[in-house]
Amino acid sequence: MPSITGNKFGRRRILVTGGAGFLGSHLIDRLLKRGDEVLCVDNLFTGNKANIDHLANEPRFEFMRHDICFPLYVEVDEIWNLACPASPIHYQHDPVQTTKTSVHGAINMLGLAKRLDCRIFQASTSEVYGDPAVHPQTESYWGNVNPIGIRSCYDEGKRCAETLFFDYHRQHDLDIKVARIFNTYGPRMHPADGRVVSNFIMQALAGEPITVYGKGEQTRSFCYADDLIDGWLKFMDTEKGFTGPVNIGNPHEFTIRELAEKIITMTGSSSALEFKPLPQDDPIQRKPDISLAIEKLDWQPCIELDEGLEKTISYFKTVTQLSP
Ligand code: NAD
Ligand code: UDP
Ligand code: UDP
């Protein structure tokens, strides 16, 4: 695709919203590695400058502090829309702002893509399936979401963003790519974001009780960040007509209790399990059917949970300086 920004080096300029966050910062590293220029737009609500500090002297990288709920006039060749708090404690902290980020943010980024006539990626989520009545979840499943519960600001915000993406596609022939991302973990997760992998590793390293919600019988399927980004990049390179939505995640399913026990063993921790009430609307099971990604993207994850956890535990040891 030719560059529309008239860059004298012939490089493509890529906008990544939410680029100072966990997944955005990994994506940016990969885009820079392949030679692109990157404009990272982030309001630093849950993102952290430490995730992009290593790029301070990179001339192909620019950071702009901006909230995507407000219009943005920049010149780029491609847009990756990732901006949105992703962990339940963060997105429930200011639920109105969460919905605004998903909905107003999507409108602004779609308006930008329309003006520039450029491709746009949406980081959607397995949460669009809610507490799924179909297992594993295929893209054709419409979901089971409570529209007025405490998770709705995120789930319904992301569902509305998908609607907007498909309406801009149908109405304005916009070149969209919608990925439904399942639970992903890895280095640069926020240590205090309350997600299960970060919570359990931090608790295990500190020798504190591991807080298992409910009986720990609910399931999740965990994808390592590098695998996920491989899938995103392949998806973004597919032909214009392939819009998705496409599930991107690891189909190996574990109970939360199994995860807790695995992390205790891998960290050599003396922590005990502490059972706490299951939060409202917490999905009972979740596992992606990734047949579409295998067929259309020739992609499937290759990093198994043990290997990914090993790398993630090492990262958390560094950030918390709990390493002996
Ligand atoms: P994260 O919280 O680490 O990153 C989100 C980034 O968006 C942060 O840097 C934050 O400061 C920024 N942001 C939030 N609101 C903004 C706004 N209004 N304007 C500008 N920037 C804003 O989360 P993550 O795990 O990296 O998730 C990235 C994307 O992937 C999110 O859209 C999330 O919904 C989606 N996703 C993630 C997962 C996962 O397991 N990590 C699963 C499904 C979907
Ligand atoms: N927008 C933006 N940057 C642009 C173009 C548009 O932020 O370069 C925003 C602007 O706020 C606009 C929204 O995107 O309201 C939707 O744009 P669209 O062209 O779809 O509709 P408009 O509201 O302009 O009729
Ligand atoms: N969970 C848990 N203990 C924790 C944090 C989370 O048992 O300290 C559970 C949570 O109830 C959910 C699962 O782990 O069933 C995944 O939670 P997370 O917040 O990571 O992601 P999501 O619920 O959005 O899939």
Side-chain angles (χ1 to χ4, degrees):
M1 208 179 286
S3 173
I4 59 163
T5 55
N7 182 314
K8 66 180 172 184
F9 302 107
R11 291 187 195 117
R12 300 177 73 230
R13 187 161 188 250
I14 316 287
L15 168 62
V16 179
T17 75
F22 160 47
L23 295 175
S25 63
H26 285 289
L27 171 67
I28 288 173
D29 284 345
R30 295 286 293 275
L31 296 172
L32 289 170
K33 204 169 163 193
R34 75 177 191 190
D36 294 329
E37 287 188 5
V38 174
L39 170 61
C40 167
V41 166
D42 199 301
N43 69 352
L44 298 181
F45 170 48
T46 52
N48 192 336
K49 273 206 170 158
N51 289 338
I52 46 171
D53 260 356
H54 59 291
L55 304 173
N57 295 320
E58 170 53 68
R60 286 180 291 116
F61 176 75
E62 252 177 283
F63 174 74
M64 182 194 288
R65 190 165 184 160
H66 173 82
D67 181 334
I68 62 158
C69 296
F70 299 97
L72 177 68
Y73 287 86
V74 292
E75 307 306 313
V76 293
D77 298 294
E78 184 174 280
I79 303 171
W80 295 76
N81 188 36
L82 274 54
C84 186
S87 87
I89 56 163
H90 285 153
Y91 69 65
Q92 287 165 22
H93 170 74
D94 184 350
V96 173
Q97 171 67 11
T98 300
T99 305
K100 282 184 183 171
T101 295
S102 277
V103 177
H104 293 181
I107 292 172
N108 288 326
M109 292 309 103
L110 287 161
L112 176 64
K114 183 181 137 204
R115 176 174 65 78
L116 298 173
D117 191 20
C118 74
R119 182 165 282 192
I120 178 166
F121 170 95
Q122 168 66 358
S124 191
T125 170
S126 54
E127 298 284 342
V128 301
Y129 302 123
D131 189 6
V134 166
H135 193 74
Q137 293 78 55
T138 54
E139 291 84 353
S140 57
Y141 177 50
W142 289 355
N144 176 32
V145 176
N146 175 358
I148 55 167
I150 55 171
R151 294 175 81 100
S152 317
C153 57
Y154 184 74
D155 302 7
E156 296 288 17
K158 289 282 188 180
R159 285 169 68 95
C160 183
E162 284 201 8
T163 306
L164 285 161
F165 268 71
F166 278 85
D167 282 333
Y168 268 79
H169 170 66
R170 283 185 287 258
Q171 206 170 322
H172 301 297
D173 194 31
L174 210 64
D175 186 3
I176 61 161
K177 302 280 170 194
V178 176
R180 290 185 179 154
I181 302 152
F182 284 66
N183 297 63
T184 304
Y185 68 101
R188 300 188 194 153
M189 284 184 94
H190 196 299
D193 73 1
R195 283 189 263 197
V196 69
V197 173
S198 42
N199 261 14
F200 285 3
I201 295 177
M202 293 297 291
Q203 290 162 344
L205 291 177
E208 290 167 1
I210 307 282
T211 54
V212 174
Y213 301 157
K215 291 185 184 153
E217 286 167 2
Q218 70 274 35
T219 67
R220 293 292 186 272
S221 309
F222 300 99
C223 187
Y224 188 67
D226 291 355
D227 270 340
L228 185 91
I229 307 290
D230 283 340
W232 286 8
L233 291 169
K234 285 193 163 188
F235 181 28
M236 202 57 162
D237 277 346
T238 53
E239 79 278 9
K240 180 174 174 185
F242 183 60
T243 56
V246 59
N247 288 339
I248 305 201
N250 189 315
H252 288 175
E253 188 182 9
F254 294 86
T255 66
I256 294 306
R257 192 180 175 133
E258 281 170 338
L259 177 75
E261 282 160 359
K262 202 178 256 301
I263 288 175
I264 290 175
T265 307
M266 290 178 76
T267 51
S269 174
S270 56
S271 295
L273 302 187
E274 181 182 28
F275 292 91
K276 296 212 161 190
L278 192 66
Q280 187 196 327
D281 295 338
D282 200 279
I284 299 300
Q285 51 182 6
R286 185 182 290 150
K287 166 185 161 126
D289 179 320
I290 59 164
S291 315
L292 187 65
I294 294 172
E295 182 201 329
K296 294 281 191 182
L297 316 182
D298 186 26
W299 170 85
Q300 55 185 314
C302 55
I303 299 168
E304 288 306 338
L305 189 57
D306 283 47
E307 187 188 345
L309 282 179
E310 206 65 73
K311 294 174 202 247
T312 312
I313 291 167
S314 302
Y315 168 78
F316 277 115
K317 280 184 180 167
T318 342
V319 289
T320 55
Q321 296 173 331
L322 285 166
S323 196

